[in-house]
Amino acid sequence: MLASLDHLVIGGSVAAYETLLGRSATDGRLRTGNVGLRFENGLSGLRSMVFATADLDKEAALLERRAVEATRTDQGVALTGNGVAIGLCTTGNDVPSPLETVEAAAVASLDHVVVRTPNPERAVAFYGGRLGLDLRLDRSNPKWGARLLFFRCGDLVVEIAHDLKKGVSDGPDHLWGLSWRVPDIAAAHARLTKAGLDVSEPRDGRRPGSQVCTVKNGTEGVPTILIGGVGRW
């Protein structure tokens, strides 16, 4: 069983994410309340996501029974999900990175990671059927132009997004964007703006009572939004 999303690998500079999160890195790594970040210099965008499990051997055997090709590595288990690089590691006890700002203005945790897919039924079969993540919501909305699938994993969501206008195809999925929770969106907006980032004004989010703003630069090519007043789907 996958207990949580342990960390994400991002192409680019840890310094950019120290500014974004309002936290100080240790040994080139960052962690919020529920997910860690690792970095690959010279690249950009989201590179991979690594899930944690209590028993790697048991999980590897389960993937084999479910016909998922996976390779054991020094770090854990590596596989590819319809084009998305995915890893498994043992559950750790890392603590959040130290704050560089007041808590209200810093990023508290990850709300969801977004994967774009041209084939939503294939995504359901993989993330739900093979990885065993809990599908909590399947919503199509013509106003958004998308079908959104929400898979719960620990204290966050893996969101699979399908562009309704593009139809269904057998092309690869792509790791796409991140949505971060902040205690006070006005304080986070003011901090990032002062640091020189281009951040949209807060606006009402899709969830009742939430507000969001878009971070337009300083994210190493990762589409990024901040969410305040977060409720559950």
Side-chain angles (χ1 to χ4, degrees):
M1 178 180 177
L2 302 183
S4 62
L5 182 61
D6 184 79
H7 66 274
L8 298 159
V9 179
I10 295 176
S13 164
V14 65
Y17 273 79
E18 287 181 305
T19 299
L20 178 65
L21 302 183
R23 295 178 178 273
S24 300
T26 302
D27 296 327
R29 299 181 177 187
L30 283 164
R31 187 167 188 86
T32 67
N34 64 351
V35 73
L37 298 178
R38 309 288 186 268
F39 298 89
E40 293 183 349
N41 291 326
L43 301 171
S44 64
L46 281 176
R47 311 302 300 175
S48 65
M49 51 184 175
V50 180
F51 295 93
T53 179
D55 190 328
L56 269 177
D57 290 334
K58 184 176 180 180
E59 195 66 38
L62 180 60
L63 290 173
E64 184 177 1
R65 290 199 299 272
R66 292 175 175 173
V68 178
E69 292 187 12
T71 303
R72 291 301 296 261
T73 69
D74 291 340
Q75 291 76 36
V77 175
L79 60 123
T80 301
N82 304 317
V84 173
I86 294 172
L88 306 181
C89 67
T90 54
T91 304
N93 296 306
D94 295 343
V95 298
S97 299
L99 294 170
E100 289 187 335
T101 182
V102 295
E103 186 173 1
V107 167
S109 57
L110 185 67
D111 190 74
H112 57 280
V113 54
V114 182
V115 177
R116 289 191 173 272
T117 183
N119 193 324
E121 295 305 326
R122 182 185 67 186
V124 170
F126 179 76
Y127 288 95
R130 290 182 168 83
L131 292 189
L133 299 183
D134 181 14
L135 178 59
R136 291 291 184 92
L137 187 66
D138 181 349
R139 177 181 292 176
S140 294
N141 192 319
K143 289 175 61 178
W144 304 342
R147 177 181 175 186
L148 303 179
L149 307 164
F150 295 98
F151 291 89
R152 175 66 63 181
C153 185
D155 188 30
L156 54 81
V157 166
V158 178
E159 175 186 317
I160 312 296
H162 174 241
D163 188 333
L164 295 174
K165 295 179 181 179
K166 293 184 177 180
V168 175
S169 76
D170 292 327
D173 294 351
H174 299 282
L175 271 174
W176 190 71
L178 300 173
S179 296
W180 298 100
R181 301 174 194 155
V182 294
D184 186 329
I185 197 164
H189 181 277
R191 175 180 66 82
L192 293 176
T193 300
K194 185 177 180 180
L197 274 66
D198 184 4
V199 187
S200 71
E201 291 298 319
R203 60 192 183 274
D204 290 340
R206 291 173 179 169
R207 279 175 269 189
S210 69
Q211 283 199 310
V212 303
C213 61
T214 303
V215 185
K216 300 178 182 179
N217 65 344
T219 65
E220 302 292 38
V222 180
T224 297
I225 67 171
L226 306 181
I227 307 178
V230 180
R232 297 294 187 198
W233 287 105

